[in-house]
């Protein structure tokens, strides 16, 4: 869940351990307020990083994919 303090273009990308972008999962203009994102990963099993950015800052979370 995201809490936007102002309207912005939100981007969520999946990156591998070297920082290489694997997939853009989400890119859209979001209004101020709370938002829930449903992301569909298309990646082989492994460890990745989910980077969420709004043009002002970014947040990175570790993601483990194991099918």
């Amino acid at each position: 869940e995201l809490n936007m303090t102002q309207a912005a273009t939100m981007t969520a990308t999946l990156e591998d351990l070297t920082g290489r972008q694997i997939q853009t999962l989400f890119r859209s203009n979001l209004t101020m307020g709370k938002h829930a994102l449903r992301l569909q990963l298309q990646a082989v099993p492994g460890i990745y990083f989910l980077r969420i950015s709004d043009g002002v800052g970014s947040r990175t979370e570790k993601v483990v994919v194991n099918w």
Side-chain angles (χ1 to χ4, degrees), residues 2 12 15-17 20 24 26 28 34 37 46-47 49-50 55-56 61 63:
L2 301 170
E15 300 175 356
D16 66 12
L17 292 175
R20 183 174 57 103
T24 298
F26 181 84
S28 184
K34 290 186 179 183
L37 301 179
I47 298 172
F49 293 101
L50 173 65
V56 176
E61 299 287 335
V63 175

Side-chain angles (χ1 to χ4, degrees), residues 4 7 12 18 21 25 27-28 35 40 47 54-55 58 60-62 66:
M4 303 289 292
T18 66
Q21 184 175 320
L25 302 168
R27 181 179 291 135
S28 184
H35 300 273
Q40 292 188 7
I47 298 172
D54 64 3
S58 67
T60 304
E61 299 287 335
K62 181 177 159 182
N66 50 11

Side-chain angles (χ1 to χ4, degrees), residues 4-24:
M4 303 289 292
T5 58
Q6 63 184 17
T9 300
M10 181 64 59
T11 304
T13 57
L14 189 68
E15 300 175 356
D16 66 12
L17 292 175
T18 66
R20 183 174 57 103
Q21 184 175 320
I22 302 298
Q23 183 182 1
T24 298

